[in-house]
Amino acid sequence: SGDPKSAPVREAFGKLAGWVGIVSNLALFAVKLATGLFTGSISIMADAINNLSDSASSIITLAGFKLSAMPADEEHPYGHARYEYISAMVVSCIILGIGTQFLLSSVQRIITPEPVLFSPVVAILLALSIGVKLWQSRFYKTIGKTIDSGALMATATDSRNDVLSTTAVLVSAVAAHFT
């Protein structure tokens, strides 16, 4: 309980969101990387790397909340709240960079296609991943609104976009299997 605008409450919520993001995204990374290596699917491996970058983004968000909670000092008489904005900008740049890399690897795969193994297990793992990312998006959005955090709202949007990209990977894998 407490004022969601107060530095200690914001920091506590930020830490919670950061640690949840680190743990859940590392788990998704491990599952998707193993699945991608097993199937030979670059789209699943790219999705795994995206989850790894999401873990890095969570670390940046965690650091941003920690730094922004520092009290005002002589050099920063209004406090350090802008660190949260900087962390949101860094997360946005990471998202842009990963998206560019996905585009390049997808074009390369179109130019030089390779067969991809598919099984119901792959579909189940991807569907579970979609469920986790939906949950993450709602989790981050709820906390982001509660403490009025641009960084967490950006992370919620990224998780929602991951739902779309993993859904595209799942649809593509099913379509490739049946065509």
Side-chain angles (χ1 to χ4, degrees), residues 73-86:
D73 56 31
E74 192 172 301
E75 289 183 32
H76 305 92
Y78 298 106
H80 296 83
R82 296 207 186 259
Y83 278 114
E84 185 182 340
Y85 301 126
I86 293 169

Side-chain angles (χ1 to χ4, degrees), residues 20-71:
V20 165
I22 291 166
V23 171
S24 60
N25 284 308
L26 283 176
L28 288 172
F29 164 74
V31 168
K32 287 182 187 177
L33 183 64
T35 302
L37 291 171
F38 172 74
T39 63
S41 170
I42 194 167
S43 61
I44 294 174
M45 287 186 275
D47 211 19
I49 297 302
N50 179 52
N51 289 126
L52 185 61
S53 76
D54 289 344
S55 288
S57 295
S58 292
I59 291 169
I60 292 166
T61 300
L62 193 61
F65 275 102
K66 180 74 174 162
L67 292 171
S68 68
M70 293 182 343

Side-chain angles (χ1 to χ4, degrees), residues 39 41-44 47 106 109-110 114-119 122-123 126 130 163-179:
T39 63
S41 170
I42 194 167
S43 61
I44 294 174
D47 211 19
S106 296
R109 186 51 74 105
I110 290 169
E114 296 176 19
V116 175
L117 299 175
F118 179 78
S119 74
V122 171
L126 291 174
I130 290 166
V163 168
L164 300 174
S165 65
T166 303
T167 299
V169 169
L170 177 59
V171 169
S172 298
V174 170
H177 177 71
F178 290 108
T179 60

